[in-house]
Amino acid sequence: KSSVYGSLIDDYCFDYYKSNGQLPMFHLLQNCMTSLRNERNIEILDAVVSLFSDDGGNELEYVAKEHKLSRERIRQICVKSIKNLSEFQKPEDSDIPVYHKILSQNEDWAYVFQEISEKQIWEIGELTDLLQREGCSMNREFILLVLSVIFSNQYVIVGKAPLSISSRGNGWSNI
């Protein structure tokens, strides 16, 4: 598997594999997103929605000022980035091939499928234990988005779309 995941495999992955007989896919995903953090669109999305924690992100206005872009351009970049992250693509057709390569490894995600298939309804809070077991501190909404891509043929998300970006500022009203 090291040829598939390359430099994303670290000592934690080796130890986890020895103990559990499977790769820690969420940890690998976190390593992947960390390696992409310097790509402009991922950096901006992370600033807005905080991909690496559940703390929440920054206001669009703040990120726009930091990047010397308009608030609307920041919103557009975030929407495009979420779209790229939420569509299943062949790695060779992707702007972020390493991310889509991880998502395409169905056999390595089988243990997650088994765990979630035992319930009719799975809530976002239930991800916490699974993520902690794998040493992953990523945003649970982002992880839910990833799961919705991986298991799109078996499951649907009901409710608010993961990582949705508001099209309005906080101070707007419909008066």
Side-chain angles (χ1 to χ4, degrees), residues 83-96:
K83 184 176 190 262
N84 285 341
L85 292 169
S86 62
E87 292 179 343
F88 189 80
Q89 300 175 22
K90 292 181 181 175
E92 58 271 11
D93 298 335
S94 171
D95 294 340
I96 42 177

Side-chain angles (χ1 to χ4, degrees), residues 11-38:
D11 289 341
Y12 182 88
C13 292
F14 282 115
D15 294 341
Y16 190 92
Y17 186 82
K18 278 192 240 177
S19 299
N20 298 288
Q22 66 200 27
L23 288 170
M25 294 306 290
F26 293 112
H27 181 80
L28 280 170
L29 180 66
Q30 182 168 304
N31 289 351
C32 168
M33 294 308 293
T34 300
S35 74
L36 296 171
R37 214 173 194 170
N38 291 331

